[in-house]
Amino acid sequence: MKPWYPFRRSCKEVTALVIAREDRALPWQDRMGLRLHMALCSACPPFERQVLTLRNAMRQWRAYSENDETSR
């Protein structure tokens, strides 16, 4: 068994972690597994960027919506 094996994650696990990270802080083992996987995988970083883009868009929409309601 390789020493980094406990940090190894599948793409399915990583996508769940990326989404879970939006709601809560991840334990250090999950953060390390996520970082290691992102360094080696070519498919998961674009998914992470999509999640971040959606989060930023929702933040801007909420700010716009709140500003629109207060100006009435």
Side-chain angles (χ1 to χ4, degrees):
M1 188 181 299
K2 297 178 183 177
W4 58 272
Y5 184 78
F7 301 113
R8 190 170 166 197
R9 302 287 188 266
S10 68
C11 289
K12 188 174 184 177
E13 292 170 322
V14 166
T15 56
L17 288 173
V18 167
I19 293 170
R21 186 175 59 185
E22 297 297 312
D23 298 328
R24 61 181 168 85
L26 298 177
W28 72 270
Q29 296 94 337
D30 288 340
R31 289 193 314 265
M32 290 299 294
L34 186 65
R35 185 175 296 162
L36 177 65
H37 184 89
M38 289 293 183
L40 301 174
C41 183
S42 62
C44 290
F47 174 76
E48 181 183 35
R49 284 192 298 274
Q50 289 175 345
V51 170
L52 293 174
T53 300
L54 286 172
R55 180 179 67 183
N56 290 334
M58 289 303 295
R59 184 181 300 134
Q60 290 176 1
W61 178 77
R62 280 189 208 110
Y64 173 79
S65 178
E66 290 169 359
N67 288 339
D68 188 42
E69 288 177 6
T70 58
S71 65
R72 289 181 187 182

